[in-house]
Amino acid sequence: MSERAAPFYCPYCGDEDLRPSEQGHGAWECAACNRAFQLKFLGLLARGLQQTDSGGERI
């Protein structure tokens, strides 16, 4: 299994100076705005792919 993706920028200030936090899995710290945040995968949507009237797939 591959490693999990890391965020590219802080969701609060947009800076790219992020470091993994010691608070747990998926936790990150931003050195620019001094905030900590956590990313979490919630799951897949139940609706999945749906057919449109034109025959193409709608996501």
XYZ file of all heavy atoms in Angstrom:
455
model
N 0.838 -1.174 0.000
C 0.000 0.000 0.000
C 0.890 1.247 0.000
O 1.904 1.300 0.663
C -0.895 -0.046 1.238
C -1.879 1.078 1.319
S -2.998 0.843 2.703
C -4.509 0.922 1.812
N 0.473 2.258 -0.735
C 1.272 3.473 -0.835
C 1.011 4.389 0.364
O 0.036 4.242 1.086
C 0.936 4.210 -2.129
O -0.408 4.627 -2.104
N 1.901 5.373 0.534
C 1.735 6.327 1.615
C 0.569 7.267 1.321
O 0.200 7.473 0.183
C 3.012 7.138 1.787
C 4.155 6.326 2.351
C 5.320 7.210 2.735
O 5.075 8.355 3.136
O 6.451 6.732 2.625
N 0.024 7.833 2.358
C -1.092 8.766 2.207
C -0.597 10.103 1.664
O 0.533 10.492 1.876
C -1.778 8.970 3.540
C -2.297 7.671 4.085
C -3.468 7.905 4.962
N -3.945 6.630 5.451
C -5.100 6.106 5.089
N -5.871 6.735 4.257
N -5.486 4.951 5.576
N -1.464 10.791 0.981
C -1.116 12.085 0.411
C -1.046 13.146 1.499
O -1.805 13.117 2.464
C -2.150 12.488 -0.635
N -0.138 14.057 1.348
C 0.022 15.167 2.284
C -0.659 16.400 1.707
O -0.715 16.577 0.490
C 1.500 15.441 2.510
N -1.193 17.278 2.557
C -1.784 18.518 2.042
C -0.702 19.416 1.450
O 0.444 19.412 1.902
C -2.414 19.157 3.282
C -1.674 18.575 4.432
C -1.252 17.201 4.008
N -1.051 20.175 0.430
C -0.101 21.064 -0.232
C -0.043 22.439 0.424
O 0.943 23.137 0.319
C -0.455 21.234 -1.707
C -0.267 19.972 -2.494
C -1.357 19.305 -3.007
C 0.998 19.448 -2.725
C -1.195 18.140 -3.733
C 1.170 18.288 -3.447
C 0.060 17.627 -3.949
N -1.134 22.856 1.074
C -1.179 24.178 1.678
C -2.129 24.173 2.874
O -2.993 23.308 3.002
C -1.594 25.244 0.664
C -2.915 24.962 0.004
C -4.104 25.394 0.572
C -2.974 24.252 -1.184
C -5.318 25.123 -0.016
C -4.182 23.973 -1.782
C -5.359 24.407 -1.197
O -6.564 24.136 -1.773
N -1.969 25.151 3.726
C -2.809 25.310 4.915
C -4.212 25.744 4.480
O -4.355 26.683 3.690
C -2.194 26.351 5.841
S -3.229 26.759 7.269
N -5.267 25.100 4.990
C -6.622 25.512 4.614
C -7.043 26.849 5.213
O -8.045 27.433 4.814
C -7.497 24.378 5.159
C -6.703 23.762 6.249
C -5.261 23.933 5.867
N -6.282 27.380 6.160
C -6.625 28.641 6.811
C -5.912 29.836 6.184
O -6.527 30.861 5.935
C -6.306 28.571 8.307
C -7.128 27.520 8.998
C -6.585 26.277 9.291
C -8.454 27.755 9.330
C -7.344 25.297 9.906
C -9.224 26.781 9.943
C -8.661 25.558 10.233
O -9.425 24.593 10.825
N -4.596 29.721 5.963
C -3.852 30.877 5.446
C -3.285 30.649 4.041
O -2.837 31.584 3.408
C -2.729 31.247 6.411
S -1.354 30.067 6.443
N -3.248 29.417 3.575
C -2.753 29.134 2.234
C -1.252 28.939 2.134
O -0.735 28.685 1.050
N -0.538 29.045 3.240
C 0.912 28.882 3.217
C 1.277 27.408 3.033
O 0.483 26.510 3.320
C 1.517 29.406 4.519
C 2.988 29.715 4.371
O 3.308 30.844 3.962
O 3.815 28.813 4.643
N 2.483 27.148 2.546
C 2.933 25.793 2.264
C 3.899 25.240 3.308
O 4.426 24.142 3.133
C 3.588 25.744 0.886
C 2.630 26.115 -0.227
C 3.302 26.154 -1.583
O 4.539 25.996 -1.654
O 2.585 26.352 -2.574
N 4.135 25.957 4.391
C 5.074 25.524 5.429
C 4.352 24.626 6.449
O 4.045 25.034 7.559
C 5.693 26.737 6.117
C 6.867 26.352 7.005
O 7.258 25.175 7.009
O 7.391 27.244 7.705
N 4.062 23.387 6.043
C 3.327 22.429 6.872
C 4.247 21.335 7.380
O 5.171 20.913 6.695
C 2.189 21.799 6.077
C 1.151 22.761 5.514
C 0.145 21.985 4.688
C 0.469 23.522 6.620
N 3.950 20.881 8.588
C 4.710 19.779 9.194
C 3.739 18.818 9.841
O 2.714 19.249 10.400
C 5.661 20.329 10.248
C 6.719 21.226 9.654
C 7.693 21.702 10.705
N 8.724 22.502 10.074
C 8.738 23.823 10.050
N 7.779 24.489 10.630
N 9.707 24.476 9.443
N 4.029 17.512 9.813
C 3.169 16.558 10.530
C 3.153 16.879 12.020
O 4.162 17.267 12.596
C 3.831 15.204 10.275
C 4.698 15.406 9.080
C 5.111 16.845 9.091
N 1.992 16.739 12.629
C 1.838 17.030 14.053
C 1.965 15.752 14.871
O 1.715 14.656 14.368
C 0.462 17.656 14.309
O 0.251 17.848 15.687
N 2.331 15.900 16.125
C 2.432 14.759 17.026
C 1.076 14.397 17.630
O 0.992 13.466 18.419
C 3.436 15.065 18.135
C 4.852 15.264 17.621
C 5.818 15.630 18.729
O 5.401 15.685 19.900
O 6.998 15.866 18.413
N 0.027 15.119 17.264
C -1.296 14.893 17.832
C -1.960 13.614 17.333
O -2.945 13.185 17.900
C -2.210 16.075 17.530
C -1.751 17.357 18.169
C -1.758 17.266 19.686
O -2.623 16.668 20.278
N -0.746 17.856 20.308
N -1.456 13.034 16.266
C -2.041 11.795 15.783
C -2.052 11.709 14.273
O -1.548 12.580 13.563
N -2.675 10.649 13.777
C -2.733 10.376 12.347
C -3.536 11.462 11.618
O -4.632 11.797 12.014
C -3.378 9.012 12.117
C -3.456 8.640 10.681
N -2.340 8.315 9.949
C -4.499 8.565 9.834
C -2.704 8.042 8.717
N -4.005 8.188 8.621
N -2.968 12.013 10.573
C -3.640 13.023 9.763
C -3.577 14.430 10.320
O -4.221 15.322 9.790
N -2.831 14.644 11.393
C -2.732 15.965 11.996
C -1.527 16.716 11.428
O -0.454 16.151 11.257
C -2.614 15.853 13.510
N -1.725 18.000 11.136
C -0.695 18.845 10.542
C -0.615 20.159 11.283
O -1.603 20.629 11.843
C -1.013 19.096 9.067
C -0.927 17.862 8.255
C -1.929 16.950 8.049
C 0.209 17.360 7.579
N -1.474 15.923 7.279
C -0.156 16.151 6.973
C 1.509 17.816 7.418
C 0.727 15.393 6.221
C 2.396 17.064 6.663
C 2.000 15.869 6.075
N 0.556 20.791 11.248
C 0.780 22.096 11.851
C 1.283 23.060 10.784
O 2.124 22.698 9.970
C 1.825 22.004 12.961
C 1.416 21.110 14.107
C 2.524 20.922 15.123
O 3.674 21.385 14.889
O 2.247 20.287 16.150
N 0.761 24.283 10.815
C 1.200 25.324 9.891
C 2.102 26.285 10.651
O 1.686 26.882 11.648
C -0.006 26.070 9.315
S 0.470 27.432 8.234
N 3.329 26.437 10.192
C 4.280 27.327 10.855
C 3.965 28.800 10.572
O 4.325 29.655 11.362
C 5.695 27.006 10.404
N 3.273 29.088 9.483
C 2.993 30.478 9.123
C 1.903 31.097 10.002
O 2.059 32.204 10.503
C 2.583 30.569 7.659
N 0.799 30.371 10.227
C -0.304 30.943 11.012
C -0.438 30.291 12.389
O -1.331 30.648 13.150
C -1.620 30.841 10.254
S -2.251 29.169 10.033
N 0.441 29.352 12.686
C 0.498 28.707 14.000
C -0.791 27.965 14.344
O -1.224 27.956 15.487
C 0.837 29.739 15.086
C 1.487 29.075 16.272
O 2.142 28.056 16.137
N 1.295 29.643 17.442
N -1.417 27.359 13.322
C -2.637 26.577 13.535
C -2.340 25.102 13.322
O -1.447 24.728 12.566
C -3.724 27.012 12.569
C -4.319 28.348 12.882
C -5.492 28.611 11.956
N -6.235 29.767 12.362
C -6.354 30.869 11.640
N -5.759 30.963 10.476
N -7.063 31.877 12.076
N -3.131 24.273 13.976
C -3.057 22.824 13.774
C -4.406 22.362 13.228
O -5.453 22.879 13.617
C -2.737 22.120 15.081
N -4.385 21.409 12.316
C -5.621 20.876 11.750
C -5.440 19.400 11.463
O -4.336 18.871 11.464
C -6.039 21.649 10.490
C -5.023 21.622 9.386
C -5.082 20.672 8.387
C -4.002 22.562 9.342
C -4.140 20.651 7.368
C -3.062 22.558 8.328
C -3.128 21.596 7.335
N -6.548 18.710 11.237
C -6.510 17.274 10.991
C -7.328 16.945 9.750
O -8.427 17.467 9.559
C -7.067 16.519 12.194
C -6.895 15.032 12.098
C -7.246 14.343 13.405
O -7.864 14.920 14.273
N -6.850 13.112 13.535
N -6.781 16.085 8.907
C -7.468 15.618 7.719
C -8.007 14.221 7.981
O -7.342 13.391 8.593
C -6.512 15.576 6.530
C -5.839 16.885 6.174
C -4.855 16.674 5.040
C -6.864 17.919 5.800
N -9.222 13.960 7.501
C -9.831 12.658 7.741
C -10.677 12.259 6.542
O -11.494 13.051 6.052
C -10.706 12.732 8.997
C -11.363 11.437 9.360
C -12.156 11.598 10.637
C -12.846 10.301 10.994
N -13.679 10.461 12.205
N -10.508 11.031 6.078
C -11.311 10.487 4.996
C -12.615 9.989 5.595
O -12.622 9.162 6.509
C -10.557 9.345 4.306
C -11.350 8.657 3.233
C -11.634 9.302 2.046
C -11.800 7.375 3.411
C -12.360 8.673 1.058
C -12.522 6.728 2.432
C -12.809 7.382 1.249
N -13.742 10.480 5.114
C -15.032 10.112 5.683
C -15.645 8.882 5.036
O -16.402 8.168 5.664
C -16.010 11.288 5.561
C -15.595 12.550 6.313
C -16.601 13.658 6.054
C -15.450 12.264 7.792
N -15.353 8.626 3.770
C -15.902 7.458 3.094
C -16.362 7.804 1.691
O -16.277 8.951 1.240
N -16.880 6.823 1.004
C -17.379 7.003 -0.350
C -18.850 7.389 -0.318
O -19.587 6.970 0.574
C -17.210 5.713 -1.152
C -15.773 5.238 -1.333
C -15.751 3.882 -2.013
C -14.980 6.238 -2.129
N -19.263 8.162 -1.295
C -20.662 8.547 -1.390
C -21.488 7.367 -1.884
O -21.050 6.601 -2.740
C -20.826 9.726 -2.336
C -20.092 11.005 -1.927
C -20.258 12.070 -2.997
C -20.611 11.498 -0.594
N -22.672 7.223 -1.393
C -23.525 6.094 -1.739
C -24.060 6.177 -3.165
O -24.325 5.169 -3.792
C -24.691 5.999 -0.766
N -24.192 7.396 -3.714
C -24.820 7.537 -5.028
C -23.949 7.028 -6.169
O -24.460 6.615 -7.186
C -25.241 8.971 -5.257
C -24.095 9.931 -5.322
C -24.595 11.324 -5.619
N -23.470 12.226 -5.610
C -23.334 13.254 -4.805
N -24.289 13.514 -3.958
N -22.276 14.018 -4.851
N -22.624 7.071 -6.052
C -21.741 6.566 -7.101
C -21.942 7.273 -8.427
O -22.306 8.437 -8.478
N -21.773 6.544 -9.537
C -21.961 7.100 -10.872
C -23.415 6.956 -11.294
O -24.059 5.944 -11.034
C -21.070 6.378 -11.887
C -19.565 6.542 -11.696
C -18.822 5.713 -12.735
C -19.168 7.997 -11.817
N -23.940 7.974 -11.982
C -25.318 7.947 -12.453
C -25.336 8.222 -13.947
O -24.561 9.021 -14.446
C -26.149 8.998 -11.735
C -26.209 8.779 -10.249
C -26.923 9.939 -9.546
O -27.277 10.936 -10.159
N -27.115 9.801 -8.252
N -26.243 7.574 -14.672
C -26.395 7.798 -16.106
C -27.159 9.093 -16.343
O -28.111 9.399 -15.636
C -27.161 6.648 -16.754
C -26.421 5.332 -16.743
C -25.259 5.331 -17.736
O -25.107 6.205 -18.581
N -24.425 4.322 -17.624
N -26.748 9.862 -17.337
C -27.482 11.077 -17.724
C -28.354 10.749 -18.937
O -28.218 9.682 -19.548
C -26.524 12.221 -18.079
O -25.711 11.816 -19.185
C -25.640 12.569 -16.898
N -29.229 11.661 -19.317
C -30.115 11.458 -20.462
C -29.342 11.352 -21.768
O -29.781 10.707 -22.709
C -31.124 12.584 -20.568
C -32.104 12.576 -19.399
O -32.263 11.512 -18.777
O -32.672 13.647 -19.107
N -28.156 11.976 -21.842
C -27.378 11.960 -23.076
C -26.560 10.676 -23.226
O -25.871 10.500 -24.212
C -26.450 13.172 -23.121
O -25.524 13.114 -22.050
N -26.615 9.788 -22.250
C -25.891 8.526 -22.346
C -24.536 8.539 -21.701
O -23.933 7.501 -21.518
N -24.061 9.716 -21.316
C -22.763 9.798 -20.646
C -22.889 9.529 -19.156
O -23.999 9.411 -18.617
N -21.758 9.430 -18.502
C -21.773 9.198 -17.055
C -21.683 10.527 -16.320
O -20.899 11.404 -16.678
C -20.616 8.307 -16.649
C -20.751 6.897 -17.155
C -19.572 6.033 -16.704
O -18.542 6.585 -16.348
O -19.741 4.827 -16.721
N -22.511 10.676 -15.311
C -22.462 11.854 -14.453
C -21.876 11.460 -13.114
O -22.246 10.434 -12.564
C -23.874 12.401 -14.264
C -23.881 13.758 -13.623
C -25.275 14.283 -13.503
N -25.625 14.157 -12.096
C -26.838 14.068 -11.637
N -27.857 14.034 -12.456
N -27.067 13.983 -10.351
N -20.962 12.274 -12.643
C -20.317 11.952 -11.362
C -21.029 12.676 -10.248
O -21.377 13.808 -10.341
C -18.826 12.316 -11.393
C -18.150 11.484 -12.457
C -18.178 12.091 -10.059
C -16.689 11.805 -12.667
